[in-house]
């Protein structure tokens, strides 16, 4: 009687999702310039803040000023800290978008923050309409 090792099923025969190729993913992210990563993160923060301010379609369904405040604050920190690294060509539109969100937050608030106390204003300074 011979002993045989059980044969492993082929990858296509196993149940479950395919495993990601982490080596390829690591190489891919290493090729992305830092300015692109920073601006992409900033755009995601802006988009999420806008939705939480109720500025998207069906805005009232998604309005959450507490979440918007956190996102705007994080965006202000990112934009302020990275502005010298990414240059004014990339930083200027991010600053404009940030200011628009800060103003929209002030308008959406039932009791607006004092100037200089709104989301992200500790990084940007007071925002006036």
């Amino acid at each position: 009687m011979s002993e045989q090792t059980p044969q492993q099923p082929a990858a296509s025969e196993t149940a479950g999702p395919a495993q990601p190729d982490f080596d390829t993913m690591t190489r891919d992210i290493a090729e992305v310039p830092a300015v692109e990563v920073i601006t992409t993160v900033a755009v995601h923060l802006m988009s999420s803040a806008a939705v939480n301010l109720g500025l998207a379609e069906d805005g009232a369904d998604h309005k959450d000023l507490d979440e918007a405040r956190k996102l705007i604050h994080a965006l202000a920190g990112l934009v302020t800290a990275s502005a010298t690294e990414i240059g004014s060509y990339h930083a200027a539109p991010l600053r404009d978008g940030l200011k628009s969100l800060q103003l929209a937050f002030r308008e959406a608030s039932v009791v607006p923050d004092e100037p200089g106390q709104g989301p992200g204003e500790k990084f940007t300074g007071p925002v006036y309409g």
Side-chain angles (χ1 to χ4, degrees):
M1 192 159 147
S2 66
E3 288 187 33
Q4 293 181 345
T5 13
Q7 195 173 11
Q8 295 294 324
S12 61
E13 296 173 10
T14 60
Q19 296 297 317
D21 181 2
F22 291 111
D23 290 337
T24 301
M25 289 170 51
T26 302
R27 279 191 301 274
D28 289 347
I29 196 69
E31 295 171 8
V32 179
V35 67
E36 189 174 328
V37 174
I38 292 166
T39 55
T40 299
V41 169
V43 168
H44 284 293
L45 289 168
M46 282 183 190
S47 299
S48 185
V51 168
N52 281 286
L53 284 170
L55 301 176
E57 285 186 34
D58 301 323
D61 296 340
H62 304 290
K63 192 171 182 178
D64 186 337
L65 294 183
D66 187 50
E67 289 294 302
R69 177 184 292 277
K70 293 172 191 172
L71 292 161
I72 294 168
H73 190 76
L75 175 63
L78 176 65
V79 170
T80 302
S82 64
T84 57
E85 300 298 324
I86 64 175
S88 60
Y89 177 79
H90 296 286
L94 296 178
R95 282 190 191 111
D96 291 344
L98 170 59
K99 183 175 180 179
S100 295
L101 290 169
Q102 289 172 313
L103 291 170
F105 184 91
R106 187 172 299 283
E107 289 176 17
S109 298
V110 176
V111 180
D113 296 315
E114 293 294 320
Q117 301 302 309
E121 291 182 16
K122 84 175 198 177
F123 298 112
T124 65
V127 175
Y128 300 99

